[in-house]
Amino acid sequence: MSRIIFPVWGDLKQIYRDPMLIICLAGPLALVLALRFGVPAVSGLLLQNLGFELSPYYELIMSFALLLVPLILGCMAGFMILDERDENMIQYFAVTPLTKRGYLGYRLGFVVILTVIYSLLLLTFSGLIPLRLGNILLLLPMLSLEAPMFALFLTAFASNKIEGLALSKGASILVLTPLIVFFVQSPWQYLGGIIPCFWPVRTFLSGSSLSLAWCALLAAAGTAMHVVCLRYLVQWFLLRAD
């Protein structure tokens, strides 16, 4: 139990000291509230003043939000890892009972749990798009794996937190993936399948038009893609941490 309590307590202190980490932790909740209350209000104003109907684009808006949650939380975890690497804390954990792999498992597991919680809130509380329980369960594995992917991407290619911040801005381009799925007609859109973010968006947008079985096939392909990418990034991280 002490192996878990010690890093959790350290995380709380680290987040408390860094306003950017506080923003990252609270950001997904603010996003959920914006979707729940802000989007319908804006939609009403647009319809009343400009005659523009926003509701046909609710699925697109939700797609952006679904990718933002793991991006924000993954960047938070990545910044924390970069801080700890700069302070040689990872080498310290390597000689404790936690071990280096245990540290990485904890750090990634922590952000996976947060992503699942926030994604569930987003999918169930936002109220924009009604979803079947089966579709929600298909989305969660992919979304939960994206956060550690973003975290490890930062730590794999950034030498410090400043570089990590710059990389996080570049990675945010991936949030535009829903534009491919929403506006490009099949089968050309599947060229975007080389991007892991494509698959949760494709699965989500297929929920209203395809059967649950087809959505499950999409989710299986997407989950496999995420697992392969995550495994590669974990190996890269462990090599750099040595």
Side-chain angles (χ1 to χ4, degrees), residues 4-24:
I4 302 299
I5 293 176
F6 176 72
V8 168
W9 179 247
D11 284 352
L12 293 177
K13 292 193 294 184
Q14 186 176 357
I15 292 173
Y16 178 76
R17 292 195 303 263
D18 193 330
M20 185 168 64
L21 295 181
I22 294 176
I23 292 173
C24 288

Side-chain angles (χ1 to χ4, degrees), residues 11-125:
D11 284 352
L12 293 177
K13 292 193 294 184
Q14 186 176 357
I15 292 173
Y16 178 76
R17 292 195 303 263
D18 193 330
M20 185 168 64
L21 295 181
I22 294 176
I23 292 173
C24 288
L25 187 62
L29 181 58
L31 182 62
V32 172
L33 295 175
L35 290 176
R36 177 70 179 184
F37 303 107
V39 171
V42 171
S43 180
L45 290 174
L46 289 175
L47 183 61
Q48 181 180 356
N49 296 315
L50 301 176
F52 178 77
E53 182 63 61
L54 187 62
S55 58
Y57 299 95
Y58 279 180
E59 287 186 333
L60 181 62
I61 294 171
M62 276 288 292
S63 299
F64 288 131
L66 283 174
L67 296 184
L68 275 173
V69 170
L71 173 64
I72 293 171
L73 295 175
C75 288
M76 180 188 74
F79 294 149
M80 295 174 74
I81 294 174
L82 288 172
D83 275 342
E84 289 160 346
R85 190 169 69 188
D86 289 343
E87 297 170 1
N88 292 319
M89 290 298 295
I90 297 178
Q91 298 302 324
Y92 165 77
F93 286 126
V95 297
T96 66
L98 183 62
T99 73
K100 190 183 301 181
R101 288 183 178 273
Y103 160 79
L104 183 61
Y106 160 75
R107 177 64 68 226
L108 299 185
F110 179 68
V111 76
V112 164
I113 292 172
L114 285 178
T115 303
V116 169
I117 293 172
Y118 279 125
S119 296
L120 274 173
L121 280 175
L122 184 71
L123 290 166
T124 58
F125 185 71

Side-chain angles (χ1 to χ4, degrees), residues 145 149 221-235:
L145 291 176
M149 280 178 51
T223 302
M225 167 72 79
H226 283 72
V227 169
V228 170
C229 292
L230 187 59
R231 183 176 180 179
Y232 169 78
L233 288 169
V234 167
Q235 292 175 343

Side-chain angles (χ1 to χ4, degrees), residues 59 62-63 65-67 69-70 112 115-116 118-120 122-124 126 129-147 196-208 212 215-220 222-223 226:
E59 287 186 333
M62 276 288 292
S63 299
L66 283 174
L67 296 184
V69 170
V112 164
T115 303
V116 169
Y118 279 125
S119 296
L120 274 173
L122 184 71
L123 290 166
T124 58
S126 64
I129 304 294
L131 288 174
R132 294 174 294 182
L133 177 61
N135 291 105
I136 294 176
L137 295 178
L138 291 176
L139 287 168
L140 287 179
M142 289 183 286
L143 295 175
S144 65
L145 291 176
E146 287 205 350
C197 296
F198 168 88
W199 295 100
V201 174
R202 177 67 274 179
T203 303
F204 170 71
L205 293 178
S206 298
S208 59
L212 190 60
C215 290
L217 287 175
L218 292 171
T223 302
H226 283 72

